Structures are given as C-alpha cells and as structure tokens.
RNA sequence: GGGCGGUUAGCUCAGCGGUAGAGCGUCUCGUUUACACCGAGAGGGCCGGCGGUUCGAACCCGUCACCGCCCACCA
C-alpha cells in the first residue's frame, strides 16, 4: 500500500543511491546507440549549490534523462573547476582564521599542498548537493580541472599555441608588456571580463599647470586640466589638446610645468582630447590609463609608473625628474608620498595643490569606476609583462561556425551578443599572479631567454641546445587563467591529447546549457579552443537560460539578504517540487523568479500525482503486459489513449525545441486536468458501479427543498401536463457493453414530473466490478499512468521512479531507462474525443447553472433534454452514470412537452438542457440570466456578421477562415434562437 | 553613446496574424471513501501610448514612454 502522502526526505536518498550504484547514469562507450553528450559547466570546487546551479542542472538533467529514455547513450560529464582566485582566497581566509602564517611566509609548495588538502576535505560539497537535486551525472567519470590528464591537456594547448605563429610571425600565445587590469587587493592581473564597472560618486578636480617660459599676465600663462584621479598626475608625461581647439591649439609645442613634480611636459596635439569635455585639455598618464597609454604610444612618451602592485605611490621611476619650482613643485613633498596608498595620496595631493593655489575648482562627479569582480576594489591599470593569447585569430573560425549554423544558440538572439564580442575581441591576458592553478610551462634562462616546453626536462634540453651547456632555468612563477583550462573541458575530460575511444565517441557534444553571463568567459573560449584543436565545434546547440531572481525579480545577493537556498527548498518540499517549479518557470530569454511559495504550490502537483496513483492502487489497477491500446473499444479508453497520444507528441516536441516550460505545462495539464479530473472521474462508475451516482438524497421527494414549488404547492409540478417523449429508434438505443457502465436507465422514459427516490446507497459495498468494461478501463488506466510517469520522469525523477517501482512497471530503478512513450494507434480517436467533449460540456453546463442558482451539490436534480437528436439521446444514455455522478443528477430524461414551471435552461448544441428547480429559483433571476446569455451570443453574432459583410474579408481572407466564420455565425444564431425560445417559455 | 530583452487578469507568466489563456490569489458552494497539498463554479484584461501595413494586429513595421540587462565611455 502506498503511504497517504509522498515522503521525499525518506525516498529521495534511497532512490538516488540505488540509481548511482546500479550504474543507471553511466555512459556506455561500447554501445551501438547514438551518443548524447552534455558537458556540465564545472562548478567551482569551492562552491555550494545555489539557485543558479539548481536551474542549470535541472534543465540539463531533464534533457539528459529524456534522451536516455529515448535510448541514446548519454554522457553527462561531471566535474569541478579548480577556480584559481576563488579557491586561493578561500584557503587563505581559512589559514588566517586558524591563525596560520600567510601563504607567502608558508611558501609556494606548502601552500599548494594545503589547498589540495582542503580540496580533499571540502571539495566534495557541491557534488554531494548535486546528488540531492537528483542530477543523473556519470559520477564514475568525474574530472577536476587540475587532474593530471587535464593538466597535460593544458600544457599541450599552451605549447602548441606558443609554437603556432600568426601572419606576423608571433605565436598565438606570446608575452607582452602593456597595460593590464591589475587587482591591487589580489595582486594579480585579471582579464577585461573580470572587471565590473561600479557607479561612484566622486569629484572632478581642475588643476592648473603653469606654462613654461610664459610671462606674467600673458593670456596663455596656465593650462587647466580636469581629472578624477589627481594622484596619477605624478606620472603625467604630456598634456594633450585637440589640434583644432579654438584657443588651446596655440599652446601646442610649448611645455607645461607639472605641478608638485616640477618636470617639464610637452603640450601635444591629439584628437583624443575632446574640446567639449572638461577643459578641453587632458593630462596624459600613459602608465595608468588605457587611453593615455595609446596616446603615449602614438607620441612616444615616457611611461613612468607611479603606483606599485599594491596601488601605493612609488616615486622610483620619477625620482630623477623631481625638481623644485617655486610655488609649483616641491620634491620633498613628492618623496613624502612614497609608499602611501593611492587614496591617501590623492587626499594629500589635492590638499597640496590647494595650498599652492593650483586647484582651480572641484566639482562633484558621478562616474563608472572599474572594480575587480573578485577582489571588489578599484582596479589599477598597470604596466606589466604578461602572457597573452591572440584571441582574434582563434575567434575567426568560431564566428564562422555560428554564422554557418554549425553551432546554434537557443534563443537565437544570443548569437548577436556572441558576434558583437567575438568580432571585437581583445588580446586575452592568460597569466595570473597566483599560486593555485596550472603553472605556466615557460622557463627563463640566465639571459632572459624563454623556453616553453611540455616539461621541465624538455625545457632543459632546449636550453642545452640554446646555450651549449646546462644553464640554470627558472620556471615562470605565474599560473594560467582558470578559464584557459575550462575552455578545454569538452575534450580534456575525454582524455585528449590521447586518442581515446571516449574522445572519438563523445566529441563533439550535443548541447551546452548555461547562463548568458558565461557566454564570453566560457562558451566563446570552448568554441575557439575546441575548433582549433579538434577541428570541430564542441557542441551543436548552446541553450542559454535566464538568471534566477527572487520573487520580486531582484537579483539574489548576500548584501540584499534575499538568497534562497535550494537545499532548504528540497528539505521542505522535495527535489521534485523544486525541479518542477524550475521547469515550469524557465521560459526562453526570461529570468526565473523563484520563491518558497512557488515551490510550495508546485509541490501539490507531486502530491496530486501520488494520490492519483493511490486511487489506481485502490482500484486494483496494475500494469498489464498484454494490454493493446489499439484494441481499446470503449469511448472512454479510446479517448484517454487519444489524449495521451496528444500529450506525448506535444511534450516531446516541446523538449525538441528546448521549451522546458511548455513540456512542464503539457504534462501538468494532461496529468491533472485530463487524467485526474476527467478520466478518473469517468472511470469511477465503471470500476465500482455500486458507488456511482450522487449520494443518497432525502428519502421523501416531497421533503426535497428543490422540487416543491412554494407558490403552487407540492402538487404543482406533478400536475404539469406532460407530453409523451420521442421514441428513440433501435439504432440509437444504447448497446449494452459499448458504454462505460450499466444502462439500467432508459432515455425514452418520459419524465413524469416526480423525482424518483434515490436508490438506497447508504451502504456502498466496496466491490470492484469485474466486467469486461471494467477490465479494459483498468488496463487502460495502468497504461496511461505508465505514460504519465515516463513523461514526468525527467522533471520529477523521484516520485515517478518510486511509483514505477511500486506498481511493478519494471524492475527496480528501471524507469530511468524505460522507453520514452510514443503515440500508439487508437481506434477512431476523433469520434471518442467528440463524444467526451459533449459529455464534459453537458456536465460543465449543468454545474455552472446549478452553482449560479445556488443549488447545493448535496441536492440532486433531474436533468431534462429538450429537442435533442436521437444521437444525442443515445450518447446521454451511454454516459448516464457518469453524468448523474458528476452533474449531481437524480435522473436524466428527454422532454418534448411543456417545461415544468420554474425550470432553469441552458443551451447545448441543438438541445436545451432543463433543470426543474421550481422551489429555489426566482423567475426574474432566470430571465436575467438567460437574457445575459442571449446578449452575449448576440454580440458575438454581430461581430461575426460584420466581418462577413465586409466584402474585402470575404474576398481576401482564406476560404477556410471565411467558412469557419460562417459556421460560427450559424452556431451563434441557432443559440440565440434557442435562448429566445427558452426565454419565451418562462412566464 | 551602441545593443538586447520586457511592458497581456491583483501577482507570475503563456500566446506572437484569424473566437484573449494558464497557475496562484480573490469570491461562492461542497465532510462525493485517491487527494482540503482537494473538487465544482464565478468574477477579473480597450494585451504600455501613438502612428502604419493588412480583409483582419496582443501578435508584423515605425515611433515614443517606462522597467531591466549587456558592451563601450565619460579626462
């Protein structure tokens, strides 16, 4: 027996362990099946599962589980990223907390050993958490970016790119001395992508630079520059003005005296100086500003650095130029700045300028200041020698691959983002001044000669050739950007550069799933490196999902305190509920707004499925291997099989299009609305007919609050004249066995105006019907439940597996590899659909009317059909038990004569549905209700008529559209006529 | 400055040329034995504004407004 409720916390760990140990997630390189590969975006080894992970891994797991069920040989490659900066920071913080010496005191080797130790102890957090989410990763193949094999791949790539020369004879990896984004807190170079601009409320300082050799009172005695960074002025080597500047151009060629420093700097012409901005003159500090660096290169200016690696002032490079100038420059002041922090120096410099009267003015100024995304402090452009990768060369084939569609983005609009960045790609700084990471395989000789090699030994061998003897070599201290190794993930995890059978089989992969924030960092680099080294794109599809936000659409962040922990949600509601919520909310190009309330409401779907299964269990519904859907003969079974076909086809199509949200909605609707609300309810009278029909009404019809007409007395209804009903021809007579239930009720009985006392159903026997009909319904129910479980398995693996096992659809843990459902032939599905559609509409109509008239559902009433065709009456007869049960009917009959007084009417196709409710209805209310219905239909008819009167519409619209409108008009007009007739019957 | 996305029921969102939809919330009714994490029913929207294309626009085009994001840059 299934428990009353699904208990995820008990069931999930057990099922996951079973899956994993039974090898259900493992790929099979020896299989003949078509492979399907997804490379996990390796989470940081320091990470713990956050909502972004929950989103991306749920989406991937849905795709992976679905494809596995389709029979593909799935490799979902797991692993983690060594995450250079992040991990180094974590371990350094830990060392500090434990009161250890810092890493520099500790030494490189000992520190790295400590990081490995940390990884062994704490690096498994994220992978454990992924298991809790239900991610079906092939754990036996787990990789780490610093594994020996992956490290070998990194060296292979580095050496190869270094040795591959571009058109100018330069390696695709090369060393260069230029400005780099320097993070003074972490004391390492970072790439452009790791810089985040933050809006800062600062100041614009206007500083007066005296012109050298100018006379007192001369108009051009000073040139004023504006700056947001006065402290960099120590490194100024020019002042630039626009060559066509109306007034300042006259000063070009003269020199300014750099305040504080006393050095003479030229006033140069450069169109970089925008006459509209600031004062029109701009100070040039080539070593501390990217634009100024370019100006400095153009004019061959000196480039002294005045800030060091900790962003403190250093005067070493300008010491020789210091000169005392009365009232302008004082070498002692500048020397006094040496070693001061950049912001302290700024303050001091501003104060000194003010004291000297060289500060023309200060304005408040809000501007974007670049910050390091990890360190969080303003970055400092710094002149250093770093290793670069010529991304421009590598980008070209990657751009082409997307242009030609060999790799496609979903949604497509992200291709524009990709192109925009790739077509203007900058040299990629790949060296980092860290210890944790892949050490750059470059060695330096005593004279600075560089030897790039696979190993220390190989480098020594090269040096021996170079020098003619054994020279002492020193390996480069730096490590590579983490993304350099991540970019190799699609093939380094498969054994490259070895030619493994996994590499041949699983590269290229199929889909890459990630967020848009990673397109540049990772997707672009995998494309570039994958194409360059494997000659093929690493994946044919890049599926980009949104970001997870909180319920109000705010980005989740620690500072806002709106972080939602997926593990907490799993604890509270179960992994299936969380996963299904994510699936339902992840529309293309849309962020996922998620909160506990949403997960809680989706949990009820898990419960619903569980309870539907309990119903099946209670009704002895069990899988029947001999069941043949094509042989189903009942309208009910043919209808549900037909509807299941439709759900299967549409769910599969949605997954093909990566529309996880549509897939979820289709499954949800089919399970809840179609299977539970309709099929199960219709099945009940067949499965246990004793329980069919409404609960017992009052024994005495006269005491029923519905029937007696308070105005005319209890005898009134009974005294209404009743005409004989139509004889239903034998062809329309219900055939025993073709309907869903016993047909003890005959529709050609004429309603006699009296409600029959209900059967005595006060003690329903818990018997299960064992008719052929009931057996067919049971087998069908089991078949369709099996489809539901398989359809939902990718989204809700736990509850579906549990039910699959409990019902014995297959061996334990077999759902994970059960065949994905495909549509099956159904006999005359359209007919069954039409039939059920009518029954549902009848029931809905009656329910609506009853609710509107405030008839309590405990009070059954008769349902009379007027003007119904024999076909309709036959249909009604076939479904009489279900109708009575679901529409709370005491009986169902045809009516040709006059309507009982005080009846309520509703129009259903050609027939009018009449509910005799004399006791409770007010004629005025009923008249208003019917008039409202009629007016609605009239409005509809008028709209369509207008359309059809438009000759252009009739002439130019497609024939089927015109025809459809004609039909709709006819239907509406017929409905109006019947509603008019109904109104006329009311006195 | 360049670009992208969004604006549809109270909320979250589907729909993207031919009858405006769902879930949640609201209101009403219901102790029907699968399920109150339930069932039934109802109310609720000139689909951001203005133009245009079309027989027909929530949907296509233009434009504006507001919200969000990305890139560049602001001496």
């Amino acid at each position: 027996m299934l428990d009353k409720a699904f208990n995820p916390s008990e069931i999930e760990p057990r099922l996951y362990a079973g899956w994993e140990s039974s090898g259900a997630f493992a790929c099979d390189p020896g299989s003949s099946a078509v492979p399907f590969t997804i490379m996990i975006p390796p989470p940081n080894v320091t990470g713990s599962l956050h909502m972004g992970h929950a989103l991306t891994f749920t989406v991937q797991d849905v795709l992976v589980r679905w494809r596995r069920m389709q029979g593909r040989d799935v490799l979902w490659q797991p692993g983690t990223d060594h995450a250079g900066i992040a991990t180094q920071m974590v371990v350094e913080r830990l060392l500090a907390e434990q009161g250890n010496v810092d890493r520099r005191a500790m030494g490189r080797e000992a520190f790295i050993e400590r990081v490995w130790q940390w990884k062994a102890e704490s690096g498994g957090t994220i992978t454990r958490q992924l298991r809790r989410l239900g991610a079906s990763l092939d754990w036996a193949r787990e990789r780490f970016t610093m594994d020996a094999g992956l490290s070998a791949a990194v060296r292979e790539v580095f050496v190869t790119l270094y040795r591959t020369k571009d058109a100018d004879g330069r390696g695709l990896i090369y060393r260069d001395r230029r400005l780099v984004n320097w993070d003074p807190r972490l004391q390492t170079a970072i790439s452009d992508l790791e810089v985040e601009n933050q809006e800062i409320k600062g100041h614009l300082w206007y500083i007066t630079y005296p012109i050298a050799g100018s006379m007192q009172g001369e108009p051009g005695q000073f040139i004023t520059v504006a700056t947001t960074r006065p402290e960099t002025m120590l490194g100024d080597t020019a002042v630039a003005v626009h060559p066509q500047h109306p007034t300042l151009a006259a000063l070009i060629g003269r020199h300014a005296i750099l305040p504080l420093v006393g050095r003479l700097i030229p006033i140069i012409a450069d169109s970089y100086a925008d006459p509209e901005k600031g004062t029109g003159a701009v100070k040039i500090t080539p070593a501390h500003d990217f634009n100024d660096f370019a100006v400095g290169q153009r004019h061959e200016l000196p480039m002294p650095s005045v800030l060091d690696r900790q962003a403190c002032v250093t005067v070493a490079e300008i010491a020789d130029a210091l000169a005392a100038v009365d009232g302008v420059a004082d070498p002692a002041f500048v020397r006094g700045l040496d070693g001061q922090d950049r912001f302290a120096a700024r303050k001091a410099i501003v104060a000194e300028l003010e004291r000297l009267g060289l500060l023309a003015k200060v304005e408040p100024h809000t501007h974007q200041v670049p910050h390091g995304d990890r360190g969080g402090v303003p970055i400092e452009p710094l002149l250093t020698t770093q290793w670069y990768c010529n991304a421009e060369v590598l980008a070209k084939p990657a751009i082409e691959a997307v242009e030609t569609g060999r790799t496609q983005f979903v949604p497509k609009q992200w291709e524009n983002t990709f192109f925009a960045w790739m077509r203007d790609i900058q040299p990629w700084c790949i060296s980092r001044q860290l210890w944790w990471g892949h050490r750059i395989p470059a060695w330096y000789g005593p004279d600075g000669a560089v030897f790039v090699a696979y190993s220390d030994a190989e480098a020594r061998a090269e040096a021996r050739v170079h020098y003619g003897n054994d020279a002492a070599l020193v390996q480069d201290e730096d490590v590579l950007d983490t993304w350099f190794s991540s970019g190799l993930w699609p093939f380094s995890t498969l054994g490259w550069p070895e030619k493994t059978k996994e590499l041949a089989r699983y590269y290229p992969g199929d889909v890459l799933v990630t967020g848009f924030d990673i397109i540049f960092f990772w997707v672009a680099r995998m494309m570039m490196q994958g194409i360059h080294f494997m000659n093929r794109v690493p994946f044919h599809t890049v599926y980009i999902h949104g970001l997870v936000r909180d319920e109000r659409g705010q980005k989740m962040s620690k500072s806002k305190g709106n972080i939602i922990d997926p593990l907490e949600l799993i604890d509270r509601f179960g992994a299936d509920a969380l996963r299904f919520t994510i699936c339902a909310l992840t529309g293309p190009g849309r962020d996922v707004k998620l909160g506990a309330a949403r997960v809680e409401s989706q949990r009820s779907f898990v419960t619903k499925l569980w309870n539907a299964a309990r119903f099946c269990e209670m009704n002895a519904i069990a899988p029947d291997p001999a069941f043949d859907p094509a042989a189903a003969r009942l309208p009910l079974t043919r209808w549900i099989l037909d509807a299941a076909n439709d759900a299967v086809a549409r769910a599969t199509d949605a997954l093909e299009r990566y529309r996880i949200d549509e897939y979820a909605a289709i499954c949800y609707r089919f399970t809840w609305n179609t299977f539970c609300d309709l099929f199960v309810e219709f099945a009940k009278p067949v499965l246990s007919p004793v329980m069919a029909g409404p609960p017992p009404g009052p024994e005495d019809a006269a005491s029923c609050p519905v029937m007696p007409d308070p105005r005319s007395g209890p005898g009134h209804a009974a005294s209404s004249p009743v005409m004989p009903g139509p004889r239903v021809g034998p062809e329309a007579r219900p055939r025993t066995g073709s309907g869903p239930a016993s047909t003890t009720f005959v529709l050609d009985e004429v309603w006699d105006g009296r409600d029959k006392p209900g059967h005595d159903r006060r003690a329903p026997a818990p018997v299960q019907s064992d008719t052929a009909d009931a057996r067919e319904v049971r087998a069908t129910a089991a078949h369709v439940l099996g489809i539901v479980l398989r359809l939902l398995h990718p989204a809700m693996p736990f509850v579906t597996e549990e039910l699959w096992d409990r019902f014995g659809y297959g061996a334990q843990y077999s759902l994970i590899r059960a065949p994905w459902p495909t549509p099956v032939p159904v006999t005359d599905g359209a007919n069954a659909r039409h039939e059920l559609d009518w029954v549902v509409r009848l029931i809905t109509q009656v329910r609506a009317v009853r609710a509107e008239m405030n008839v309590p559902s405990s009070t059954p009433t008769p349902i009379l059909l007027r003007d119904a065709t024999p076909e309709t009456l036959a249909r009604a007869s076939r479904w009489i038990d279900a109708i009575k049960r679901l529409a709370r009917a005491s009986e169902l009959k045809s009516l040709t004569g006059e309507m009982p007084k005080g009846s309520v009417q509703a129009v259903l196709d050609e027939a009018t549905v009449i509910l005799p409710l004399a006791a409770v209805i007010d004629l005025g209310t009923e008249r208003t209700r019917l008039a409202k219905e009629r007016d609605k239909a009239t409005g509809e008819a008028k709209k369509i008529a207008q359309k059809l009167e438009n000759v252009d519409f009739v002439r130019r619209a497609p024939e089927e559209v015109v025809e459809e409108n004609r039909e709709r008009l006819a239907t509406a007009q017929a409905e109006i006529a019947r509603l008019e007739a109904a109104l006329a019957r009311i006195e």
Side-chain angles (χ1 to χ4, degrees), chain A residues 498-512:
Chain A
E498 303 296 318
K499 288 188 166 58
T500 63
K501 66 172 189 268
E502 284 83 1
L503 186 64
R505 182 165 173 79
Y506 300 112
Y507 190 98
D510 288 272
V511 190
L512 182 88

Side-chain angles (χ1 to χ4, degrees), chain A residues 447-522:
Chain A
D447 59 350
V450 182
F451 303 95
V452 169
Y454 294 94
S455 65
D456 182 64
E458 198 193 328
R460 277 201 305 274
E462 280 192 20
R464 202 172 303 120
V465 172
H466 179 83
Y467 292 114
N469 55 39
D470 283 340
L473 293 184
V474 180
Q475 186 173 2
D476 196 308
E477 291 290 320
D478 295 347
V479 300
L480 286 162
D481 180 8
T482 295
W483 296 103
F484 189 85
S485 48
S486 312
L488 316 180
W489 188 250
F491 50 96
S492 64
T493 51
L494 298 172
W496 188 89
E498 303 296 318
K499 288 188 166 58
T500 63
K501 66 172 189 268
E502 284 83 1
L503 186 64
R505 182 165 173 79
Y506 300 112
Y507 190 98
D510 288 272
V511 190
L512 182 88
V513 178
T514 191
F516 55 79
D517 49 334
I518 302 300
I519 292 177
F520 305 145
F521 274 119
W522 192 44

Side-chain angles (χ1 to χ4, degrees), chain A residues 211 215-223 251:
Chain A
I211 304 294
M215 309 294 285
Q216 282 286 337
E218 186 189 340
Q221 193 186 348
F222 301 107
I223 187 162
L251 294 171

